[in-house]
Amino acid sequence: MEEDAGEEPGLGRCTAPTDFHFYHMDLYDSDSRLQVLPEESTGVRREAVQAERTYEPRGAREGQAHRALHEEADELVHLYGLEDDHELGDEIMDEDTPRLGTAEYPPYGVKRGDPAWEQRDWRLGGEAAEAEDLGFGGWGSRGQCQDLREAYRYTHGRASEEYECYVIPEEEDEEEAADVFCVTCKIPVRAVENLDAHKEHEVTPLNQALESAKDEIHKNMYKLEKQIIDMENFASHLEEVFITVEENFGRQEQNFESHYNEILETLAQKYEEKIQALGQKKKEKLEALYEQLVSCGENLDTCKELMETIEEMCHEEKVDFLKDAVAMADRLGQFLKTKTDVEISAQPDFEEQTLDFSDVEELMGSINSIPAPSAPVINPQAPNSATGSSVRVCWSLYSDDTVESYQLSYRPVGDGSPGKDQAEFTVTVKETYCSVKNLMPNTQYEFWVTAQNRAGSSPSSERAVYMTAPSPPIIKSKEIRSCEEAALICWESGSLNPVDSYTVELTQAEAPQAWGVTESIVGIPTCEALVQLQPRQNYTIYVRALNVGGPSARSEPATVHTTGSYFHLNKDTCHPWLTISEDGFTVMRSERKTPMREPLASNTRFTRCVAVLGNLIPVRGRHYWEVEVDECLDYTIGVAFEEVPRHEDLGANRLSWCLRHTFASSRHKYEFLHNKTSPDTRITVPPRRIGVLLDYANSRLSFFNVDISQHLHSFSCELHRLVHPCFSLEKPGCLKIRNGIPMPKHVTFY
Amino acid sequence: MLSIPRFGRMALKQVSSSKSFGGFQKVFEHDSVELKCKMKFAVYLPPKAESAKCPVLYFLSGLTCTEQNFITKSGFQQAASEHGLIVIAPDTSPRGCNIKGEDDSWDFGTGAGFYVDATEDPWKTNYRMYSYVTEELPQLVNANFPVDPQRTSIFGHSMGGHGALICTLKNPGKYKSVSAFAPICNPMLCVWSKKAFGEFLGPDQNKWKAYDATHLVKSYTGSQLDILIDQGKADEFYDQLLPENFIAACTEKKIPVVFRLQEGYDHGYYFIATFIADHIRHHAKYLNA
C-alpha cells in the first residue's frame, strides 16, 4: 500500500526501496551533505533543487533502484533524446567529468537537456544548469552512458531508414513509378529496368514494403505516445515533490527564525534582570558604608572633646583638678566603656553570583526539535477520482507543520445496524494523497487521516466519506431496438445502490478513417437511452455507470446494426393461443382439436383476435419490415396504437390499420382495414412476402408484395402518437417476421 | 432542342408551349407516315429534361378525346415534374382523312381509333393507330426530345386504357410498366369496340383477339408485369369495361394486377385527376428504378 501510494503508475520507480526518501528530513540529517554545496546559502529554491538532485543519486546507490533508474533513463532517452542534446551532453561530460566526480551528485537531470521541459524555473542559472546538462549520461559508469547512446542511435537509425523507405519512391514517382522494393539494398526498384542488379536480393512489392514501413512507424508512434504519457505523469509527480520540498523548507525557515528570536529575547531578559539586581546591591552597600562613616566621625568628635577637657583640667588648681579629675575619670570611664565599632559593615567585593542559563539551553536544544503536527484537513472526494475498486483520497496539512508520514484509516460506511462494526484498515503514506484499492464498487467509505513526525502524532482529521465508482452496467442485448437513424439501448444497473447517471459510448465498427473514435452520450438518468445514429452502419455500444466517485468500467459491448428497423415482439400482449419461436420472430398458432375457451379480458393481452404487438423503436422516421406468409393462411398485419382494444379485431377501430387476408373457396380476399372499412381492391397474385412501410413523415402506411415489387395499398393515417407493428392469425399457421433488413428501392417511391 | 428529323417528312411544328411546374407543356404537329394525315400530340418536358435524358411515359386517351383533354384536365404535370418524366399524349385517331362515315358517330372513326391497325377498307390506309403509337410516334419522340428510349412506359384511360394494355401485352419488354384508368378490358364483348373491331378488322373474331387484353393476357409469356388499374364504382360505362374478365384471366395466369374499385367515382377526368399521382408514381417506380 505504501509503495502504491508513493508512486505514479508506470514510472518504474516501484523498484525503489521504501527508504528512498526525498523529504526534508533527509536534509535535516544531512548537514555534511549540504556543506558540500558551495552555494548552500543562496536560498531555499536552490536548496530545493539540490534536494531534488540529491534523492535520486542516493537511491541510485542501491543496486535495485539503480537499475530502475537506468530503465527510466532509457525512456527518457527515447523521449527526449534529440541528437543535439546528446552531443551537448557528451561534450560537456568529457570536459567536466572530474568536476562531476567531486560534486558527489551525479544529477538526475536528463530533463534538463530537453528544451521542451516546462519547468524552466527549475533550471539553475549558468553553472548549475550546465552541471545538470553534463549529468546527462552521468548515472554511474561510462558504460551505461554508452548504452544510452546506442539505444538512441538504434531508434534514430531505424527512423531514418523508414524515412528513406517511403520518401524515395515518392521522388521517383515523378519520372516512373518504382514497383518493387529491394529489402537488401533498402531502395525501391523499377522492376522493368533494374531488377537484374537485385537478382540475388530479397525483393518485395513496393506496396507491401510501404505497408510494413508504415506499420513500423505506427508502432513507434504508439510507443512514443505511451512514453510521452509516462513522462508527463513523471513530470507532474516531480512537480508535486518540488512543491512539497519548497513548502517544507519554507516552514523550516520560519521555524528557525522564531526559535532564534525566542532565544535572543530570553537572553536579553536575563541580562536586564542581572543588571538590575547588581545595581540594587551596589546601592545598599554604599548606603551602609556611608552611615558607618558618619557615626565614626561622631565618635571621633567626642574623643577629641574629651581630650581637650582633660588637657584643660591639667592646668587647673590641685583642688579643682582633683575635683574635676574624679568627675572626669567617671566620664572617661563611661565613654571608654561604650564600644567603638570599627568593623566595616559592607564588604567592598561582591558575592559570587551563579548565572542560570538552563532555560536558554533548553531553548537552544529545542531548535532542532519540532512540534507534533496538527490534524490534517481531509478533502471531499474529487469528481472522477474513483474506480470500481479504488478511490483517491487527498488531504492537506497546515502550512507550518512538518510531517513525516500520514496514517490513512478507512472503513465502509455501515448501514447503522449495531454489532456489525465494519473492519477498519490503515495505510501509511508520505504524500498527501493515497489511492486506496481493493474496495467494493458503488460503496461509501469513510476516511480519516493523522499526520506523524518524530515529535508525535496529530489528532485525527475529520471523517470524509468517499464513494467507489459503480460496477459496469449490463446491456440487455436482446432488448435493443433500432432503426436507420437511431437505436434504443437498455441495460441493468449492475449495482445494488442507485447510481447518479449513465454514459453510453459508441464506436462505428466499419469506419477505418474514424478508427477508434468514440462518441459519448452522458448524463442519462435511466437505464435506457435513445441514441441517434447514422443509417446502415454497425456500431459497438458500451455503457458506463457514474456516481460521485467517477465512472464505472465499460460494460460488455453490444452491437447495433442500423439497417432497416429492428424490433421484438411484445410477449405481454400475446394472445394465449399464439406461441413465439425461440428466435422471437416466428408467430405460430397451432391446430386445436377442441375449441378453447375464450381467455379472460385483459388490458395487455389480446383476448379476441389472436394477435401480438411488436415493440417498435419510438422514432418518428421510416420503418420497414417484412412478413412471410402462407398463401392460404388467414392473417392480419399492420400497425396499431399501444392502447388498441385487446377484445376487438385489428382494423375494427380507429386505433389500427391493417391488411387482412382471408382465403375461402379458393378465392383470396385482401382488405385494407381501418375502422372496419376497407377499399375494394383486388390482387391477382397472392403475396408470400409482404413488405410494410410505416412512414411517419408522410403519414403513410404502405403494403407491398416484395417478391414482385408490387405496391398493394397505402393508408393515409394520422399518426399523432407512436404505433407498433401488429400481427394476427385467424387460422392455425405461422407468420415469419423479417426485420433489420434494408428497405428495397421500390418501396422508397411510396 | 429540335434535332434534324430522321425522316424528311417528319418535321415537327410547335403549336403551343406553356410553362407548367417548372417544365413545359407543349403541343406539336407533324405529318404522320402511318396515318397519312397531320397529327398533333402533346409533350410535357419536366425541368429535369433541360439537363438530362428522361424516361418517357405515353398516355392514351379515351373515346372522343384529342391530345388536349388529358393535358388540360388531369393535372398530371405536377407529378410528372416531381418524378422527372416526359409525358406524351397523342391524339386518339387520324383526322381529316375524308373517309365516308368517319364523323358519323362519337364512338367510331374520328376520335375513336381504338389503337388498332385497320385491315379493312376504307380504314386500312389511315386508321393505323396501333403502329402510330408503338412505332412512328416513339421514333419521332426519341429523335426530337431528350428521352431515354430504354425507359418507356404507357398508360391510358378507357379506350386508351385498352390501348395501353394491348400495347404492353403485345410487346413484352417494350414498356417498363403499364397502368390504366377504367380501361376497356375485354373489347370483344364491349358494344363500342365490337362495332369498331368489325369495321376495322372485319368479321373474323379471331383477328379481334389480337387486340383484346383479356385474350392477350391468357397467352402472355413475357417479362414480369405490375399492372395498376383504377376503376370508379359509379362509372356510367362500367358494363362496357368488363374489368372482372381481365382480373380473372390475370389471376389464373398469375399476372400481377392491383385493381382498385374506387367508391363513388365516375368515368370522367375528375376521377383521373384524383388518382393520377398514384399512377405516375407507379410508373416512376419502374422508370426511375
Side-chain angles (χ1 to χ4, degrees), chain B residues 171-193:
Chain B
N171 298 280
K174 186 178 178 82
Y175 300 98
K176 293 278 175 199
S177 55
V178 60
S179 74
F181 296 94
I184 299 171
C185 290
N186 198 355
M188 289 172 74
L189 305 179
C190 157
V191 179
W192 298 324
S193 39

Short mmCIF file of all heavy atoms in Angstrom, two decimals, chain B residues 171-193:
data_model
loop_
_atom_site.label_atom_id
_atom_site.label_comp_id
_atom_site.label_asym_id
_atom_site.label_seq_id
_atom_site.Cartn_x
_atom_site.Cartn_y
_atom_site.Cartn_z
N ASN B 171 -46.19 -6.37 -76.75
CA ASN B 171 -44.77 -6.05 -76.92
C ASN B 171 -44.02 -6.26 -75.59
O ASN B 171 -43.60 -5.29 -74.95
CB ASN B 171 -44.59 -4.59 -77.36
CG ASN B 171 -45.24 -4.30 -78.69
OD1 ASN B 171 -44.67 -4.62 -79.74
ND2 ASN B 171 -46.44 -3.73 -78.66
N PRO B 172 -43.89 -7.52 -75.18
CA PRO B 172 -43.26 -7.75 -73.86
C PRO B 172 -41.88 -7.08 -73.80
O PRO B 172 -41.09 -7.21 -74.73
CB PRO B 172 -43.13 -9.27 -73.79
CG PRO B 172 -44.16 -9.79 -74.74
CD PRO B 172 -44.24 -8.77 -75.84
N GLY B 173 -41.67 -6.35 -72.71
CA GLY B 173 -40.36 -5.71 -72.50
C GLY B 173 -40.27 -4.32 -73.09
O GLY B 173 -39.38 -3.54 -72.74
N LYS B 174 -41.18 -3.96 -74.02
CA LYS B 174 -41.09 -2.64 -74.65
C LYS B 174 -41.43 -1.56 -73.62
O LYS B 174 -40.82 -0.49 -73.62
CB LYS B 174 -42.08 -2.56 -75.82
CG LYS B 174 -41.97 -1.26 -76.64
CD LYS B 174 -42.96 -1.30 -77.81
CE LYS B 174 -42.95 -0.02 -78.63
NZ LYS B 174 -41.84 0.01 -79.62
N TYR B 175 -42.38 -1.86 -72.76
CA TYR B 175 -42.78 -0.87 -71.75
C TYR B 175 -42.40 -1.38 -70.36
O TYR B 175 -42.63 -2.54 -70.04
CB TYR B 175 -44.29 -0.61 -71.84
CG TYR B 175 -44.70 -0.08 -73.19
CD1 TYR B 175 -45.23 -0.91 -74.17
CD2 TYR B 175 -44.52 1.28 -73.49
CE1 TYR B 175 -45.58 -0.43 -75.41
CE2 TYR B 175 -44.87 1.77 -74.74
CZ TYR B 175 -45.39 0.93 -75.70
OH TYR B 175 -45.72 1.41 -76.93
N LYS B 176 -41.82 -0.52 -69.59
CA LYS B 176 -41.37 -0.91 -68.26
C LYS B 176 -42.56 -1.15 -67.33
O LYS B 176 -42.47 -1.93 -66.38
CB LYS B 176 -40.50 0.19 -67.63
CG LYS B 176 -39.18 0.39 -68.32
CD LYS B 176 -38.17 -0.64 -67.84
CE LYS B 176 -36.87 -0.50 -68.62
NZ LYS B 176 -36.05 -1.72 -68.52
N SER B 177 -43.65 -0.43 -67.59
CA SER B 177 -44.80 -0.58 -66.70
C SER B 177 -46.04 -0.11 -67.43
O SER B 177 -45.95 0.60 -68.44
CB SER B 177 -44.61 0.23 -65.40
OG SER B 177 -44.36 1.58 -65.72
N VAL B 178 -47.18 -0.53 -66.89
CA VAL B 178 -48.44 -0.16 -67.51
C VAL B 178 -49.46 0.08 -66.42
O VAL B 178 -49.40 -0.55 -65.35
CB VAL B 178 -48.90 -1.27 -68.50
CG1 VAL B 178 -49.10 -2.60 -67.79
CG2 VAL B 178 -50.18 -0.85 -69.23
N SER B 179 -50.37 0.99 -66.67
CA SER B 179 -51.49 1.19 -65.75
C SER B 179 -52.66 1.75 -66.56
O SER B 179 -52.49 2.17 -67.72
CB SER B 179 -51.12 2.15 -64.62
OG SER B 179 -51.07 3.48 -65.09
N ALA B 180 -53.83 1.73 -65.94
CA ALA B 180 -55.00 2.18 -66.70
C ALA B 180 -56.07 2.73 -65.77
O ALA B 180 -56.23 2.26 -64.64
CB ALA B 180 -55.57 1.03 -67.52
N PHE B 181 -56.77 3.74 -66.27
CA PHE B 181 -57.98 4.24 -65.61
C PHE B 181 -59.18 3.67 -66.36
O PHE B 181 -59.32 3.89 -67.58
CB PHE B 181 -58.05 5.77 -65.67
CG PHE B 181 -56.94 6.46 -64.95
CD1 PHE B 181 -55.79 6.85 -65.62
CD2 PHE B 181 -57.04 6.74 -63.59
CE1 PHE B 181 -54.77 7.51 -64.97
CE2 PHE B 181 -56.03 7.40 -62.94
CZ PHE B 181 -54.89 7.78 -63.61
N ALA B 182 -60.02 2.96 -65.68
CA ALA B 182 -61.26 2.43 -66.24
C ALA B 182 -61.09 1.93 -67.66
O ALA B 182 -61.74 2.40 -68.60
CB ALA B 182 -62.35 3.52 -66.18
N PRO B 183 -60.18 0.98 -67.86
CA PRO B 183 -59.91 0.53 -69.23
C PRO B 183 -61.02 -0.37 -69.77
O PRO B 183 -61.73 -1.03 -69.01
CB PRO B 183 -58.61 -0.27 -69.07
CG PRO B 183 -58.68 -0.81 -67.68
CD PRO B 183 -59.39 0.24 -66.86
N ILE B 184 -61.15 -0.36 -71.13
CA ILE B 184 -61.97 -1.38 -71.78
C ILE B 184 -61.12 -2.64 -71.76
O ILE B 184 -60.09 -2.73 -72.41
CB ILE B 184 -62.31 -0.98 -73.24
CG1 ILE B 184 -63.09 0.33 -73.25
CG2 ILE B 184 -63.07 -2.10 -73.93
CD1 ILE B 184 -63.27 0.91 -74.65
N CYS B 185 -61.55 -3.59 -70.93
CA CYS B 185 -60.66 -4.71 -70.65
C CYS B 185 -60.88 -5.89 -71.59
O CYS B 185 -59.99 -6.72 -71.78
CB CYS B 185 -60.85 -5.18 -69.21
SG CYS B 185 -60.24 -4.00 -68.02
N ASN B 186 -62.06 -5.98 -72.12
CA ASN B 186 -62.39 -7.14 -72.94
C ASN B 186 -63.18 -6.64 -74.15
O ASN B 186 -64.40 -6.88 -74.28
CB ASN B 186 -63.20 -8.12 -72.08
CG ASN B 186 -63.23 -9.51 -72.66
OD1 ASN B 186 -62.70 -9.75 -73.76
ND2 ASN B 186 -63.86 -10.43 -71.96
N PRO B 187 -62.53 -5.89 -75.08
CA PRO B 187 -63.25 -5.15 -76.13
C PRO B 187 -64.10 -6.04 -77.05
O PRO B 187 -65.08 -5.57 -77.61
CB PRO B 187 -62.12 -4.46 -76.91
CG PRO B 187 -60.87 -5.14 -76.51
CD PRO B 187 -61.08 -5.68 -75.15
N MET B 188 -63.74 -7.31 -77.15
CA MET B 188 -64.55 -8.20 -78.00
C MET B 188 -65.98 -8.32 -77.51
O MET B 188 -66.88 -8.65 -78.26
CB MET B 188 -63.92 -9.60 -78.05
CG MET B 188 -62.64 -9.63 -78.84
SD MET B 188 -61.83 -11.22 -78.69
CE MET B 188 -62.89 -12.22 -79.72
N LEU B 189 -66.17 -8.07 -76.21
CA LEU B 189 -67.51 -8.21 -75.62
C LEU B 189 -68.13 -6.86 -75.31
O LEU B 189 -69.15 -6.79 -74.65
CB LEU B 189 -67.43 -9.05 -74.34
CG LEU B 189 -66.80 -10.44 -74.48
CD1 LEU B 189 -66.78 -11.14 -73.13
CD2 LEU B 189 -67.54 -11.27 -75.50
N CYS B 190 -67.50 -5.80 -75.80
CA CYS B 190 -67.97 -4.46 -75.46
C CYS B 190 -68.66 -3.87 -76.68
O CYS B 190 -68.18 -3.99 -77.82
CB CYS B 190 -66.76 -3.62 -75.05
SG CYS B 190 -66.97 -1.86 -75.21
N VAL B 191 -69.82 -3.24 -76.45
CA VAL B 191 -70.64 -2.75 -77.54
C VAL B 191 -69.86 -1.82 -78.46
O VAL B 191 -69.87 -1.96 -79.68
CB VAL B 191 -71.89 -2.03 -76.99
CG1 VAL B 191 -72.75 -1.49 -78.13
CG2 VAL B 191 -72.69 -2.95 -76.10
N TRP B 192 -69.10 -0.83 -77.83
CA TRP B 192 -68.35 0.14 -78.65
C TRP B 192 -67.36 -0.56 -79.56
O TRP B 192 -67.31 -0.32 -80.75
CB TRP B 192 -67.54 1.09 -77.75
CG TRP B 192 -68.31 1.93 -76.82
CD1 TRP B 192 -69.52 2.48 -77.04
CD2 TRP B 192 -67.88 2.31 -75.53
NE1 TRP B 192 -69.89 3.23 -75.96
CE2 TRP B 192 -68.91 3.14 -75.01
CE3 TRP B 192 -66.74 2.06 -74.75
CZ2 TRP B 192 -68.82 3.71 -73.73
CZ3 TRP B 192 -66.66 2.65 -73.51
CH2 TRP B 192 -67.70 3.45 -72.99
N SER B 193 -66.58 -1.39 -78.98
CA SER B 193 -65.46 -1.93 -79.74
C SER B 193 -65.88 -3.05 -80.68
O SER B 193 -65.23 -3.30 -81.69
CB SER B 193 -64.37 -2.40 -78.79
OG SER B 193 -64.95 -3.02 -77.68
#
